[in-house]
Amino acid sequence: MSVSPDPIRSPYHIVFEEYDLDNGLHVILHRDTSLPIVAVNVWYHVGSKNEREGKTGFAHLFEHMMFQGSANVPPNGHFQYVQQAGGTLNGSTTFDRTNYYETLPAHQLELGLWLEADRMRSLRLDEQTLETQRNVVMEERRSRYDNQPYGTMFEELLTRAYKLQPYRWPTIGSMTDIRNATLDDVRAFHAMYYQPRNASLCIAGDIDFDTARRLVERHFADIPSNDGDIYRPWVHEQRQHFQVRDFVYDAVPLPAFLAAMHIPPLAGDEFPALYLLATILTHGASSRLYRRLVHDECIAQTVYSGALGLELPGLFMIRAGAQQGVDLDEIEDAIFDTLAKVREQGVTEAELEKAKNGLEAMTISDLASVQSRADGLNSARILLGDASHVNSDLPRLQAVTADEVQRVANAYLVEENSTVLHYLPWPGEVPA
């Protein structure tokens, strides 16, 4: 067992203990007795990047399948048990991980552990469950992506920005792959990833450490892990030397501009500077791109930028929605001119300090609940390899200098490293 070092008492430092069970399950315990509640949070180190081309959407499909019953829990029984106990629950899927969580009254800790252990040990996987959840996911794909204005915009960008890395499809997968998934496919995917040695369990809140360890041992210690290889793609894109450009037409009311530049992974030393630069560019009415595009030149209705932090190299993305009658070339020129000024002149100390203060306030606010702290601990463990990194996010951001921001802008936010997409309404009348 290890204990997080240097237990500094501050609004954002999280003190915790961690250890491994013999079956490989990583366990993290964080105690906060300010409220009589407890968070149970399980991360599986599997997301859509662990899928193979032609068999996409499986990680997200399991976000649904994991609520469809196990040896001792009926379909959707998780919701009934937790809600009757006065708690809440949910799950989510990203490119790199899948998580499930319950927030419960403190005296109901064992209920949350029993539910998570039962589905880790004995998830119900049969044709009826697969067919039901397949249809649910396909309908979600239709409503959120295919039939939603701008719903496929991000997907269209990914397929052009990535050639090698398995981020080139969305987490929901393709309609064809979801439709063609067989029970054998699903069972093989489950056997590989949904096992103790590929999971991290965090318990946070009003707990007694000895009691929590005893309950974890009782419910999880006898769950076996498979000894086969776990597929973890580690391919990186080749350096991009020429801009990729394309045009997509869709049933949308106004044009939208998207650009994506390849950047290092979340764990990279340069990521904090890129994260701060995104804040300087588009977060708030005084940010550089918002002030220029929306306020001063009135050529865009909205503008957003973000550094997509992923386990493999990610993307720095910029998106702008055009005002009526504005050509996207005008927006594109203004965006790349703004980036050129950052590369040439850097950012001011005032801009940098404002961005740091805003991100610090947001980080502290995000860590207010025990469930968000449990999520942060599991995120650091799974994506960064060490749960203690949850306490280094803010120090890393605060240490960034204006020179570093200018350097990463020159290294990555250049036109030859960009994929540009003009997302346009259909010419003439928009189809019904």
Side-chain angles (χ1 to χ4, degrees), residues 60-68 75-76 127-140 178:
H60 175 260
L61 177 63
F62 269 100
E63 181 190 326
H64 292 258
M65 299 278 284
M66 291 284 275
F67 290 100
Q68 295 310 300
N76 294 309
E127 289 285 2
Q128 179 182 350
T129 302
L130 173 59
E131 192 60 30
T132 299
Q133 294 313 305
R134 185 206 317 273
N135 291 332
V136 170
V137 172
M138 290 172 66
E139 182 54 37
E140 182 181 347
I178 298 165

Side-chain angles (χ1 to χ4, degrees), residues 233-271:
W234 204 249
V235 62
H236 289 203
E237 294 293 316
Q238 296 177 355
R239 183 174 178 83
Q240 185 171 323
H241 296 286
F242 302 97
Q243 186 183 72
V244 175
R245 300 182 61 82
D246 209 348
F247 303 85
V248 172
Y249 292 89
D250 200 359
V252 295
L254 289 169
F257 169 85
L258 294 96
M261 283 74 82
H262 294 280
I263 60 173
L266 177 64
D269 292 338
E270 296 170 307
F271 189 83

Side-chain angles (χ1 to χ4, degrees), residues 5 8 100 127 167 169 189-190 254 346 350 398 412 424:
I8 302 168
Y100 303 92
E127 289 285 2
Y167 296 138
W169 52 80
F189 192 83
H190 176 267
L254 289 169
Q398 293 293 0
Y412 304 107
L424 302 163

Side-chain angles (χ1 to χ4, degrees), residues 211-362:
T211 301
R213 285 191 288 268
R214 187 170 62 253
L215 292 175
V216 169
E217 182 75 19
R218 177 186 302 169
H219 292 286
F220 289 90
D222 65 342
I223 302 175
S225 278
N226 299 328
D227 10 357
D229 291 338
I230 294 178
Y231 174 64
R232 299 200 192 284
W234 204 249
V235 62
H236 289 203
E237 294 293 316
Q238 296 177 355
R239 183 174 178 83
Q240 185 171 323
H241 296 286
F242 302 97
Q243 186 183 72
V244 175
R245 300 182 61 82
D246 209 348
F247 303 85
V248 172
Y249 292 89
D250 200 359
V252 295
L254 289 169
F257 169 85
L258 294 96
M261 283 74 82
H262 294 280
I263 60 173
L266 177 64
D269 292 338
E270 296 170 307
F271 189 83
L274 288 158
Y275 193 58
L276 281 163
L277 180 52
T279 303
I280 291 169
L281 287 173
T282 62
H283 292 209
S286 64
S287 60
R288 289 204 180 190
L289 282 173
Y290 185 93
R291 189 171 65 245
R292 178 171 180 176
L293 274 64
V294 178
H295 185 269
D296 294 347
E297 299 182 15
C298 300
I299 57 176
Q301 297 186 49
T302 59
V303 62
Y304 161 84
S305 67
L308 185 60
L310 300 170
E311 194 171 18
L312 302 179
L315 297 172
F316 191 101
M317 294 186 298
I318 302 174
R319 181 185 72 232
Q323 288 281 10
Q324 183 76 42
V326 174
D327 192 288
L328 287 184
D329 288 338
E330 187 177 356
I331 289 177
E332 180 176 349
D333 289 344
I335 287 173
F336 279 109
D337 180 65
T338 302
L339 297 182
K341 286 182 168 62
V342 173
R343 294 196 303 270
E344 295 161 7
Q345 304 166 11
V347 299
T348 67
E349 291 294 340
E351 286 178 312
L352 186 59
E353 187 65 22
K354 181 179 178 181
K356 289 179 179 180
N357 290 341
L359 291 175
E360 179 175 2
M362 183 177 70

Side-chain angles (χ1 to χ4, degrees), residues 98 129 144 403:
T98 310
T129 302
R144 290 181 54 195
D403 286 344

Side-chain angles (χ1 to χ4, degrees), residues 58-110:
F58 281 34
H60 175 260
L61 177 63
F62 269 100
E63 181 190 326
H64 292 258
M65 299 278 284
M66 291 284 275
F67 290 100
Q68 295 310 300
S70 49
N72 299 294
V73 180
N76 294 309
H78 281 75
F79 293 95
Q80 181 180 353
Y81 279 116
V82 172
Q83 289 168 356
Q84 285 182 349
T88 59
L89 73 162
N90 215 327
S92 66
T93 310
T94 70
F95 291 110
D96 295 318
R97 58 82 180 150
T98 310
N99 80 325
Y100 303 92
Y101 56 92
E102 297 85 19
T103 304
L104 291 155
H107 68 278
Q108 296 284 0
L109 169 60
E110 187 166 13

